[in-house]
């Protein structure tokens, strides 16, 4: 719900402000760019600050990649620190001044790639953005099939900063689709054989066929049926199916 989401955002902001994180700039200017964040426990993360008004920032931590909030405590720590250290420069950026043109990935709600046209953008760059992005700056093509072609075109524009997470998101979408196709193929393979595989002389119950197909198609998975439900035979059938398909030795 919206209330839970706001609470989670508040918790991360609070942890960022009070967590004792230290950070230093790696690239960019005083308030936009890459920053190295050090946690009190000694861990290091890379944070990309790309906006002080929108959740377009990024972090190398696991929480940022999985929470779909578009932020994390490391990002919030850098934002809070920059607001204290460089108040005037942050105010300029918030007003839309001194912001470079950039392409970024955002994982808030639905993962997407957006473009922001900054100061000094020429006509050709604006035309490029118009071909690939909608009026709000969201990439309107297919992230797996079309985004790589845009990224190749974008390399010709020196004043356009393309952050690496845009390409990473494209690869993730392509890999996810490939995994989904494979899952469908493996499940169809099981369905054609009614769960029977060479070398395993046992008749499986329908739920065991489903469990073995799940194991074999997922690549890696946890099967957590109750005791006595035949988890061992499901694992054996799944492994034998992968062997028969030439996917394992």
């Amino acid at each position: 719900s919206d209330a839970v989401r706001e609470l989670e955002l508040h918790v991360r902001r609070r942890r960022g402000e009070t967590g004792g994180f230290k950070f230093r700039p790696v690239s960019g200017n005083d308030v936009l760019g890459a920053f190295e964040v050090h946690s009190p426990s000694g861990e290091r993360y890379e944070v990309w600050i790309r906006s002080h008004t929108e959740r377009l920032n990024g972090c190398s931590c696991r929480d940022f990649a999985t929470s779909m909030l578009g932020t994390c405590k490391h990002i919030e720590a850098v934002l809070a620190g920059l607001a204290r250290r460089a108040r005037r420069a942050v105010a300029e950026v918030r007003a839309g001044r001194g912001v470079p043109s950039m392409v970024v990935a955002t994982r808030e709600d639905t993962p997407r790639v957006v473009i922001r046209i900054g100061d000094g953008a020429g006509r050709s760059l604006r035309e490029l953005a118009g071909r690939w992005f909608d009026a709000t700056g969201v990439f309107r093509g297919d992230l797996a099939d079309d985004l790589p072609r845009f990224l190749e075109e974008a390399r010709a524009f020196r004043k356009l900063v393309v952050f690496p997470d845009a390409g990473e998101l494209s690869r993730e979408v392509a890999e996810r689709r490939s995994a989904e196709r494979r899952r469908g193929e493996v499940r169809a393979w099981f369905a054609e054989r009614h769960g029977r595989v060479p070398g395993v002389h046992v008749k499986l119950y329908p739920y065991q066929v489903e469990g073995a197909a799940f194991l074999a198609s997922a690549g890696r998975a946890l099967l957590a049926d109750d005791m006595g439900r035949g988890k061992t035979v499901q694992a054996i059938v799944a492994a034998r199916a992968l062997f028969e398909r030439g996917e394992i030795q």
Side-chain angles (χ1 to χ4, degrees), residues 128-150:
L128 175 73
R131 289 199 307 272
W132 291 101
F133 296 83
D134 64 21
T136 64
V138 177
F139 189 75
R140 58 189 175 198
D142 185 87
L143 291 178
D145 297 333
D146 299 327
L147 186 59
R149 293 193 289 120
F150 161 75

Side-chain angles (χ1 to χ4, degrees), residues 35-115:
F35 296 82
E36 185 179 79
V37 179
H38 297 247
S39 71
S41 61
E43 296 172 306
R44 297 184 181 183
Y45 303 94
E46 185 173 16
V47 165
W48 302 310
I49 298 299
R50 302 176 289 212
S51 175
H52 287 262
T53 56
E54 300 177 88
R55 283 198 279 273
L56 298 178
N57 304 310
C59 182
S60 61
C61 76
R62 183 66 177 167
D63 178 53
F64 177 80
T66 59
S67 72
M68 308 302 286
L69 292 173
T71 191
C72 67
K73 59 187 177 183
H74 310 112
I75 292 173
E76 295 300 328
V78 177
L79 289 175
L82 293 176
R84 293 191 302 268
R85 297 181 191 178
R87 186 175 303 175
R88 182 174 298 178
V90 170
E92 289 287 306
V93 169
R94 285 179 173 270
R97 294 186 290 270
V99 179
S101 297
M102 62 181 73
V103 174
V104 307
T106 173
R107 296 177 182 275
E108 182 184 6
D109 298 326
T110 301
R112 56 201 176 113
V113 171
V114 300
I115 193 170

Side-chain angles (χ1 to χ4, degrees), residues 196-210:
R196 295 185 180 274
V197 297
V200 183
H201 304 292
V202 62
K203 182 178 180 180
L204 301 182
Y205 292 103
Y207 76 87
Q208 292 176 320
V209 174
E210 178 66 18

Side-chain angles (χ1 to χ4, degrees), residues 210-224:
E210 178 66 18
F214 162 74
L215 285 175
S217 64
R220 58 181 181 182
L222 174 66
L223 185 64

